Amino acid sequence: MAVSISPDTPRDPAVSALLQASHAYLQSLYDPEDNHFLSIDALCAPDIRFFTARLDGKPVGTAALALRAGYGEIKSMYVDPVVRGHGAAKALMARLIGEGRALGLPALKLETGPRNTEALALYAGHGFTRCGPFGDYRESPASVFMGLAL
């Protein structure tokens, strides 16, 4: 099974279904005020680079890079649990890091939750380390902030 990553639109019905599954998963773990995912409309903004992972042509994962002043923020990172372990998450991370470097960003940052243990391991495996809040985020027991200098 071959994984491919390409720019995409979150409005594609199969991709939207993945995003909705991601939102439902996060809502099952965290209180509404602790969920910081972007809507499908927000993911279509000009300052967002959105990518879809496909496994043998089928959409199985999503990730976005939000361009911020002085850094890029990783958003909407999700891989269908049925296909985890096939390299889609690693391929998405490699694409986001490559995109950040190609855009000349000095750093990538992200916010996730402490219950997202698989995501925390993935990010740490790509060199991300814990940091303090950034942007509009505030310190919270439901948030883990990480960054990677590029």
Side-chain angles (χ1 to χ4, degrees):
M1 292 200 227
V3 175
S4 65
I5 308 297
S6 59
D8 207 352
T9 174
R11 296 194 195 285
D12 176 283
V15 175
S16 293
L18 284 171
L19 289 165
Q20 290 166 355
S22 170
H23 297 172
Y25 173 69
L26 292 171
Q27 289 167 333
S28 77
L29 293 177
Y30 303 105
D31 292 333
E33 65 272 11
D34 295 323
N35 276 301
H36 305 289
F37 54 79
L38 296 177
S39 69
I40 291 172
D41 286 341
L43 288 169
C44 294
D47 64 337
I48 303 287
R49 303 298 182 266
F50 186 85
F51 302 95
T52 298
R54 287 184 165 70
L55 192 58
D56 291 334
K58 179 185 177 211
V60 296
T62 63
L65 184 61
L67 307 180
R68 306 294 186 230
Y71 64 94
E73 182 181 355
I74 294 175
K75 302 292 288 181
S76 299
M77 181 78 185
Y78 180 75
V79 173
D80 184 340
V82 174
V83 299
R84 289 184 185 161
H86 288 92
K90 288 180 181 177
L92 282 165
M93 285 304 302
R95 180 62 185 258
L96 293 171
I97 292 168
E99 188 77 8
R101 286 187 173 128
L103 292 168
L105 297 173
L108 296 182
K109 297 182 181 187
L110 61 91
E111 182 275 340
T112 190
R115 295 182 188 134
N116 294 8
T117 55
E118 290 175 331
L120 290 167
L122 174 74
Y123 302 140
H126 281 84
F128 283 78
T129 57
R130 291 187 185 226
C131 64
F134 57 89
D136 293 335
Y137 294 108
R138 301 291 169 249
E139 194 68 48
S140 165
S143 288
V144 175
F145 304 101
M146 300 180 85
L148 173 71
L150 296 180

